[in-house]
Amino acid sequence: MIKVLLVEDNPHDALLMRRMLNGAAAGKCDMTLETCMADATRYLLDHTVDVVILDLGLPDASGLAAVRQMLAAAPLVPVVVLTGRNDDQLATQALRAGAQDFLVKGEIAAGMLLRALRYAIERKSLEEKLFLEQERGQVTLNSIGDAVVCTDNAGLVTFFNLTAEGLTGLTMAEAIGRPIDESLHLTDESGVAISLRPGARDAAPPLGAKFNASAMIRRANGQSVAVDYNGARILGRDGAGIGAVYVLRDMTAPRALAAKMAHLAQHDSLTGLPNRVLLTDRIRRAIAIAPRHARQPGVLFLDLDGFKHVNDSLGHLVGDQLLQSVASRLTACVRGSDTVSRLGGDEFVVLLAEMARPEDAATAAVRMLEAVGEPHLIDEHELHITTSIGISLYPDDGADAGTLIKNADTAMYQAKAQGRKNYRFFEPAMNFRAVERQAIEEGLRRAAERNELSLHFQPKVDLANRSVRSAEALIRWRHPVLGDMPPVKFISVAEDCGLIVPLGRWVLREACAQAKAWIDAGMALDTIAVNVSAMEFQNERFVDEVMETLAVTGLAPERLELELTESVLMKHTKLAAQTLSALRAAGVRLAIDDFGTGYSSLSYLTRFPVDTLKIDQSFIRQISATQPETAIISAVLGIARSLRLRVVAEGVETASELEFLERFGCDEAQGFYFSEPLPAAAFAAWVARHERQDTKHYVSQK
Ligand code: C2E
Ligand code: MG
Ligand code: MG
């Protein structure tokens, strides 16, 4: 049932219409009649109708104005107008204004009327659907974050969404109707223009949903924006192209993010320097081009000296700033083709990519030592720091990045060990040394149980009367493969791996037992001296163990003298003082060994209860040398005397050294001039011979 509203003031025409509808469309239509626009409008306010038949000669509205009024009153209802016979023009205008159809009065056939009404309703509903569809499309396209641009087949822009306006800087009005290449100025990375005009060579829009092309787009203001874009053709029913759609995505932020991520993955966040990943890559590249350019890349491994101390005492913030300062100093030392990197902590690695000669690496190292050594002003602190540098060269010291870095690292350790603020070139022997250390450690673990250890004893001669009343016990190790191993080689390894504690225990026990045996056998031995290393001394149980050993061996505490180096005492001053006091209280004698090689500070001597000062042999060697150095020894002897310390000279080798020491009041001397360290039996024999001999004359056994 079609609800029809007929708006007709002519009763005759109205009756005619009703008859027609009642006839042909009986039961299919339900017609209401209104005779003026005002009544019709009022009726439409609270009734729904399917179609309006509108006479264009109403008393209160006529012609085109009537069409417009009706469309305004019922925008969703199809309107069919009634015109006079010669009103073709008005009929056409009415259709343009929005009427669905027109019927010419007097020419209306009953069957045709119903069909006209049905078509009008149908068409209006399709129009509505289309309108909604379009609206939805527009709103959608304006809501998405990608720019969408449509063209017709000639490449003229037919649609331009809001994002496209933002991206290009053009308004939709400016863009529409223009050739697409004038609206979207696309170029590839090298600046070559990309045409999107359908039919242009290379311009066939790629199909598919993925963004598969990157480009730069120039905005109206001249600025360039990175985009990814994609296009698809719009095909007609016959399969021929009728236009294209382009979608463009602003890639500024994603590309910046990608670049940032790539940077982060290859750089150290604190200093901004390349990290190991990028460094390795740069070394690889330098190696690859080295032969062609007749270049010899070099790797410098730097480690700051005492950086931990700065961190511990001034805090991490200051430490971090110091690292940044070092980073910029190092960067200033090298050329653009070189790479300064930070591996973490206080370790930096510099790649000198284009060296012509190995000497260049040394020059660069010296420059870096000085640059880093200049004071760093941080948070009002004037910080002084030094660095140690190891150098490895391609290809001699390694054919790949990993080996070059590792060997430069090894050389750096050597530089550090030699005294800081130093550089060293890598030598193959350094690797050998690392392997050797390993062998020593393994061998040392089993040395005691395999009876490979022994003690030698070196006499200490009293210069007042040339009598021998004491001896120093020195450890000896005969390695089954490596042979006689000097203590300087294995003591530090033993300290590093902790084996020094059981080793020291063994030495103390052996030395005390031997001394006790000699005394019991009638030897006039006042003291036996035993060396104690830092780690043993710091052991909490150290004092107890010494006392236990004395008790077990039966040696009186006054007969034992422990030799400690200056550095041992300086490391844990408070603990050292306590330990020394406890030992002293028990009667054990204490000596400072290698005096003058450590901190060379006499002030602490007054703080520790020591009995003896052993002047290092490096000082004794200077006696025969120039005058100013001997002045140092005489001064040390003077100070020791004023502190009431017994002074022992180590490593006395010549009669002139002995003479000098005697003249300046040295108490005791020890050295090859008298005797080398000897096995126990040989030592006893030597002492017996010495007692009998004319004590004024010795022949150096060296
Ligand atoms: P040190 O305690 O200063 O021992 C003196 C070193 O000088 C000994 O070397 C001795 O053989 C050597 N020497 C003695 N007279 C002369 C001389 O006239 N000329 C020269 N050139 N050298 C002389 P050694 O036995 O090789 O010991 C080296 C170092 O190893 C010792 O220096 C000591 O620090 C350490 N050491 C030795 N035995 C032990 C031990 O049982 N325990 C600990 N912790 N360290 C030990
Ligand atoms: Mg010693
Ligand atoms: Mg010494």
Side-chain angles (χ1 to χ4, degrees):
M1 184 71 73
I2 301 170
K3 282 192 210 153
V4 182
L5 173 63
L6 175 66
V7 192
E8 175 63 272
D9 61 328
N10 186 325
H12 172 73
D13 288 346
L15 187 64
L16 207 66
M17 193 65 78
R18 186 180 292 278
R19 282 212 191 116
M20 254 188 282
L21 286 177
N22 284 346
K28 290 172 188 153
C29 283
D30 171 17
M31 197 189 86
T32 307
L33 176 69
E34 294 292 349
T35 54
C36 67
M37 183 59 80
D39 287 351
T41 311
R42 207 170 303 121
Y43 178 83
L44 284 168
L45 280 180
D46 39 34
H47 295 86
T48 54
V49 301
D50 295 317
V51 61
V52 174
I53 303 173
L54 178 66
D55 176 41
L56 293 187
L58 296 171
D60 56 351
S62 67
L64 220 47
V67 179
R68 294 211 177 100
Q69 278 181 46
M70 181 48 72
L71 286 173
L76 299 177
V77 182
V79 176
V80 176
V81 298
L82 297 170
T83 59
R85 221 165 242 153
N86 298 314
D87 262 350
D88 284 0
Q89 203 190 342
L90 178 60
T92 317
Q93 283 174 343
L95 291 183
R96 269 199 209 122
Q100 288 298 335
D101 204 354
F102 67 91
L103 298 167
V104 180
K105 284 188 181 176
E107 290 179 0
I108 307 168
M112 167 190 137
L113 175 63
L114 186 62
R115 206 169 60 225
L117 294 181
R118 282 208 173 120
Y119 277 147
I121 292 168
E122 188 122 327
R123 222 171 15 244
K124 181 71 179 176
S125 121
L126 282 177
E127 240 175 44
E128 269 319 298
K129 263 194 205 141
L130 196 64
F131 174 81
L132 282 179
E133 204 66 35
Q134 261 179 358
E135 275 302 297
R136 193 182 300 131
Q138 291 265 2
V139 171
T140 307
L141 290 176
N142 280 333
S143 309
I144 62 173
D146 293 337
V148 179
V149 178
C150 303
T151 70
D152 61 15
N153 217 21
L156 301 180
V157 173
T158 55
F159 178 78
F160 210 70
N161 75 349
L162 275 176
T163 310
E165 290 186 338
L167 184 66
T168 59
L170 294 177
T171 64
M172 171 143 159
E174 286 168 329
I176 287 204
R178 257 172 128 179
I180 184 160
D181 292 341
E182 283 178 24
S183 304
L184 300 178
H185 296 279
L186 283 189
T187 58
D188 65 13
E189 264 173 30
S190 46
V192 176
I194 300 171
S195 175
L196 293 179
R197 187 166 50 81
R201 219 152 60 83
D202 313 324
L207 295 168
K210 274 197 192 145
F211 285 83
N212 42 18
S214 294
M216 297 301 291
I217 188 164
R218 201 177 74 238
R219 309 189 61 209
N221 64 7
Q223 190 190 356
S224 267
V225 178
V227 293
D228 277 0
Y229 72 98
N230 187 17
R233 278 178 169 252
I234 305 171
L235 301 180
R237 276 183 199 280
D238 58 358
I242 53 171
V245 184
Y246 295 94
V247 182
L248 300 96
R249 180 169 294 175
D250 184 343
M251 295 303 286
T252 313
R255 278 188 205 166
L257 188 67
K260 196 175 169 197
M261 304 272 282
H263 189 270
L264 280 181
Q266 297 197 318
H267 290 79
D268 161 45
S269 59
L270 178 66
T271 59
L273 293 177
N275 62 11
R276 186 188 287 271
V277 175
L278 188 52
L279 170 74
T280 306
D281 187 55
R282 298 259 174 93
I283 296 177
R284 266 193 218 123
R285 272 191 231 178
I287 288 175
I289 63 163
R292 253 181 294 144
H293 294 76
R295 288 291 182 257
Q296 189 177 19
V299 172
L300 277 61
F301 198 111
L302 292 86
D303 186 287
L304 300 183
D305 306 320
F307 175 71
K308 193 179 170 314
H309 176 70
V310 174
N311 244 357
D312 290 349
S313 54
L314 299 175
H316 289 278
L317 282 179
V318 172
D320 283 355
Q321 289 178 66
L322 180 59
L323 290 173
Q324 287 166 340
S325 174
V326 168
S328 67
R329 299 261 176 97
L330 292 178
T331 308
C333 281
V334 301
R335 291 187 283 183
S337 53
D338 300 332
T339 299
V340 177
S341 70
R342 176 169 172 249
L343 298 195
D346 58 349
E347 291 178 344
F348 294 86
V349 173
V350 178
L351 163 69
L352 301 176
E354 303 204 326
M355 281 197 310
R357 302 161 308 145
E359 293 84 347
D360 296 351
T363 316
V366 169
R367 215 164 41 228
M368 289 175 199
L369 289 175
E370 306 217 312
V372 173
E374 290 289 313
H376 299 257
L377 202 68
I378 285 154
D379 269 5
E380 293 159 22
H381 299 286
E382 194 177 274
L383 298 182
H384 293 262
I385 192 130
T386 57
T387 180
S388 301
I389 306 179
I391 306 171
S392 65
L393 301 173
Y394 174 84
D396 297 356
D397 305 333
D400 58 86
T403 310
L404 286 168
I405 296 174
K406 192 184 97 222
N407 287 343
D409 187 7
T410 303
M412 182 278 292
Y413 268 99
Q414 295 290 325
K416 228 177 236 282
Q418 266 184 358
R420 284 120 197 250
K421 202 178 180 187
N422 231 323
Y423 73 86
R424 276 289 302 263
F425 279 93
F426 174 76
E427 289 159 25
M430 291 177 180
N431 260 342
F432 169 74
R433 244 162 260 161
V435 173
E436 194 188 42
R437 265 180 100 82
Q438 187 68 32
I440 289 172
E441 185 183 329
E442 276 164 26
L444 208 49
R445 286 189 193 282
R446 273 170 249 116
E449 68 200 48
R450 288 183 183 173
N451 274 329
E452 291 164 10
L453 299 176
S454 66
L455 284 185
H456 278 196
F457 299 87
Q458 188 174 35
K460 290 159 77 183
V461 180
D462 189 333
L463 295 185
N465 55 17
R466 295 293 165 101
S467 65
V468 173
R469 293 277 175 271
S470 53
E472 178 176 4
L474 294 157
I475 193 166
R476 294 293 176 261
W477 177 26
R478 177 157 290 176
H479 188 283
V481 180
L482 302 173
D484 282 339
M485 185 71 66
V488 282
K489 258 191 176 175
F490 68 86
I491 293 287
S492 65
V493 178
E495 278 177 330
D496 287 350
C497 65
L499 279 172
I500 191 68
V501 175
L503 199 67
R505 233 178 257 145
W506 182 87
V507 170
L508 188 67
R509 176 90 180 238
E510 283 289 309
C512 291
Q514 182 63 70
K516 172 75 169 135
W518 277 331
I519 292 165
D520 289 353
M523 191 192 284
L525 192 71
D526 285 344
T527 57
I528 182 84
V530 173
N531 294 285
V532 175
S533 78
M535 205 176 191
E536 295 171 74
F537 187 70
Q538 282 156 28
N539 191 340
E540 280 172 21
R541 298 248 317 120
F542 181 66
V543 177
D544 294 342
E545 279 178 8
V546 170
M547 299 321 294
E548 277 165 32
T549 306
L550 288 170
V552 168
T553 56
L555 188 72
E558 306 76 46
R559 307 262 179 186
L560 177 64
E561 182 162 84
L562 297 178
E563 294 191 4
L564 306 151
T565 57
E566 292 169 277
S567 52
V568 173
L569 300 182
M570 295 313 290
K571 256 177 208 159
H572 295 277
T573 321
K574 206 169 154 219
L575 183 78
Q578 282 172 4
T579 309
L580 290 180
S581 303
L583 290 167
R584 191 62 172 311
V588 174
R589 298 171 60 86
L590 301 166
I592 291 183
D593 203 354
D594 303 345
F595 181 77
T597 56
Y599 291 79
S600 299
S601 155
L602 288 167
S603 68
Y604 70 86
L605 284 179
T606 55
R607 281 191 274 139
F608 296 116
V610 294
D611 306 272
T612 309
L613 215 56
K614 295 188 78 178
I615 301 180
D616 190 67
Q617 49 176 287
S618 60
F619 281 88
I620 309 303
R621 283 299 89 74
Q622 288 166 3
I623 289 175
S624 28
T626 50
Q627 220 37 44
E629 270 89 342
T630 49
I632 298 176
I633 303 170
S634 47
V636 169
L637 284 168
I639 290 164
R641 245 202 325 273
S642 71
L643 290 172
R644 295 182 200 293
L645 297 174
R646 200 171 164 74
V647 179
V648 179
E650 294 188 88
V652 177
E653 290 183 355
T654 65
S656 64
E657 287 166 359
L658 185 64
E659 212 171 281
F660 178 93
L661 292 163
E662 275 183 316
R663 184 142 44 89
F664 283 90
C666 186
D667 300 295
E668 265 180 66
Q670 175 185 354
F672 295 165
Y673 178 73
F674 299 108
S675 170
E676 287 181 18
L678 302 166
F683 175 79
W686 186 90
V687 171
R689 206 163 54 241
H690 174 80
E691 294 291 302
R692 291 194 303 269
Q693 256 175 12
D694 170 9
T695 53
K696 279 283 173 196
H697 183 69
Y698 294 94
V699 178
S700 171
Q701 299 178 20
K702 195 177 169 189

